[in-house]
Amino acid sequence: MSGEAPPPQADEFWLFGYGSLIWKPPPHFDRRIPGWVTGYVRRFWQASEDHRGTPQDPGRVVTLISRSYWKQLADHYGSAPDKVWGVAYRIEPDRVAEVKAYLDIREINGYTIHHTPFHPAAAAVTPGGSINPSPTIRTLVYIGTPDNEQFVGPQDPQELAEHIYRSAGPSGANRDYLWGLEAALDELSPESGDEHITDLSNRVRAIAAAAARDERERIGAKEDVLHREQRHHEQPHDFRRRGSVDEQEETEKTW
Ligand code: BEZ
């Protein structure tokens, strides 16, 4: 192969990230490759009690649903891209156990481990100059399957956007996770956008803009009341002063 990285070896540990792992890499990786997996649909259908929400008010994060199961559901989004874009990370061989332990702690909330073939986005150039698709890589992927307690299932998009807008947890605001994912996907490839993510991001932006407008109006109204109160306190004094001068002038005129 020309300048391409060597093909993956069977005993390597590769991890596929389709959510926050895209922009928050695991520790001890030595390769990061954008690409996709097939056979799944990415949805904000997993409750998060430990990252973007709390046990009392769980937020929403993404999971992958097998496409065959998704087809049986009444999703408000009638379509989903064939390719689920994300990133594959190769973990340094002597750090695999450590990273697996770290991921179990970081991501355990309802997710189970699956393996799936990953398609690197970049094609390999052969010595003869022809373009070959890179070989697929067996990756480990965390999936919140429909049988786990945190699986929420199809939700009305506007209600879901409002839920994300108001949720927050130890890892930060739920909306930052959503917008972080949107931005991270945009950076992977011109074709890596995901309509479900873009639509939710736009809805949450509209909710945030309306909330900011309401807040400005609330502050404006409060300032109006304060100014009115201030004027009210000043007026009697002015009137009294002006009144006494006017009175004096009147008196002088009369005399
Ligand atoms: C991720 O791809 O960021 C991810 C998704 C679910 C669980 C853990 C990580």
Side-chain angles (χ1 to χ4, degrees):
M1 271 203 213
S2 64
E4 295 298 317
Q9 303 299 305
D11 58 349
E12 290 178 348
F13 176 64
W14 286 82
L15 175 67
F16 176 60
Y18 59 93
S20 59
L21 277 174
I22 300 177
W23 76 99
K24 278 190 180 172
H28 309 305
F29 71 93
D30 58 8
R31 285 181 66 193
R32 177 186 188 272
I33 306 182
W36 69 87
V37 300
T38 58
Y40 293 100
V41 172
R42 173 174 26 218
R43 288 289 179 261
F44 261 82
W45 289 0
Q46 180 82 352
S48 172
E49 298 185 344
D50 53 356
H51 282 293
R52 301 293 170 159
T54 62
Q56 293 74 36
D57 293 301
R60 295 286 181 270
V61 289
V62 284
T63 183
L64 295 186
I65 295 104
S66 87
R67 185 168 277 274
S68 55
Y69 178 70
W70 172 79
K71 279 185 183 156
Q72 300 168 30
L73 302 174
D75 186 359
H76 297 77
Y77 298 88
S79 65
D82 285 336
K83 297 175 182 173
V84 175
W85 277 82
V87 164
Y89 294 99
R90 187 177 71 175
I91 306 300
E92 296 165 24
D94 55 343
R95 301 291 201 149
V96 169
E98 195 182 324
V99 170
K100 280 184 176 169
Y102 162 85
L103 289 167
D104 280 350
I105 294 167
R106 180 177 152 179
E107 315 290 3
I108 203 71
N109 194 204
Y111 289 102
T112 50
I113 287 172
H114 293 237
H115 291 94
T116 193
F118 170 84
H119 301 260
V125 183
T126 66
S130 62
I131 310 276
N132 281 348
S134 295
T136 58
I137 303 172
R138 182 176 187 263
T139 53
L140 179 149
V141 59
Y142 286 86
I143 295 185
T145 49
D147 54 0
N148 91 88
E149 277 182 9
Q150 310 299 335
F151 185 79
V152 184
Q155 294 144 91
D156 174 77
Q158 189 58 22
E159 282 172 22
L160 177 55
E162 279 159 17
H163 191 106
I164 291 171
Y165 173 73
R166 61 177 179 265
S167 297
S171 299
N174 207 166
R175 68 190 94 147
D176 290 337
Y177 171 97
L178 168 65
W179 292 334
L181 180 54
E182 183 194 35
L185 282 174
D186 277 352
E187 280 173 17
L188 293 183
S189 145
E191 50 167 306
S192 53
D194 183 330
E195 190 210 338
H196 173 67
I197 308 298
T198 313
D199 176 64
L200 283 175
S201 297
N202 289 339
R203 287 175 190 269
V204 175
R205 266 190 287 276
I207 296 167
R213 213 168 36 240
D214 288 353
E215 182 62 4
R216 276 197 304 277
E217 281 171 16
R218 198 184 61 76
I219 291 170
K222 207 169 159 186
E223 282 173 357
D224 281 353
V225 171
L226 282 175
H227 289 147
R228 249 181 274 127
E229 279 176 4
Q230 218 171 355
R231 278 202 299 276
H232 179 75
H233 287 302
E234 285 170 3
Q235 271 175 357
H237 174 69
D238 282 359
F239 280 154
R240 218 178 304 129
R241 193 153 47 79
R242 252 201 318 271
S244 62
V245 171
D246 291 349
E247 235 171 58
Q248 208 180 334
E249 280 176 358
E250 286 299 314
T251 317
E252 280 168 3
K253 270 185 215 148
T254 336
W255 273 81

